[in-house]
Amino acid sequence: MADVSGAVPRSQESFRGTAILAYVLLLAGLFSFHLAGVVAVILAYTQRGEARDTVWETHFDNVIVIFWVSLLVTLVAIPLCLVIVGFFVLGILLIWFLYRTIKGLVRALDGRPYF
């Protein structure tokens, strides 16, 4: 069924596939200097509006938060590596990144919201 603009709404399965792809790209970013992560966040930003008021909106919000927090903490931690503290911060960030990403991926596979 089309809305007033004539556009056909996307199916829940389409959003599910996109959310899963975004999480996989975030994980792949660990091995590609985070270039895949940039693709994931762009994908999340472009899909978040269409997914408004669905369980998938929480997943796209999560991908965006993971990307930006990881980027900002990394930028702060890199100079701190000169005084060893940065390595500790990066280790904690990696654990947080993996937790949020894997939790989101598992919930997306189950069709449940992130939160």
Side-chain angles (χ1 to χ4, degrees), residues 13-110:
E13 277 303 306
S14 176
F15 287 127
R16 180 177 181 260
T18 305
I20 291 169
L21 176 62
Y23 286 120
V24 169
L25 286 169
L26 277 178
L27 290 170
L30 291 173
F31 306 102
S32 67
F33 299 105
H34 297 287
L35 295 177
V38 172
V39 175
V41 78
I42 291 169
L43 187 63
Y45 272 119
T46 59
Q47 299 303 304
R48 185 171 60 168
E50 287 183 51
R52 189 86 50 216
D53 298 326
T54 69
V55 299
W56 307 109
E57 180 182 13
T58 64
H59 288 284
F60 297 129
D61 287 341
N62 184 48
V63 168
I64 292 166
V65 167
I66 290 170
F67 176 83
W68 287 112
V69 169
S70 296
L71 178 66
L72 293 174
V73 171
T74 299
L75 290 175
V76 169
I78 296 264
L80 292 175
C81 287
L82 295 173
V83 290
I84 310 301
V85 174
F87 293 110
F88 178 72
V89 172
L90 288 173
I92 297 296
L93 175 64
L94 178 63
I95 292 167
W96 176 86
F97 175 89
L98 290 172
Y99 171 77
R100 297 268 311 220
T101 305
I102 293 170
K103 177 183 174 183
L105 180 58
V106 168
R107 288 181 179 257
L109 288 168
D110 290 342

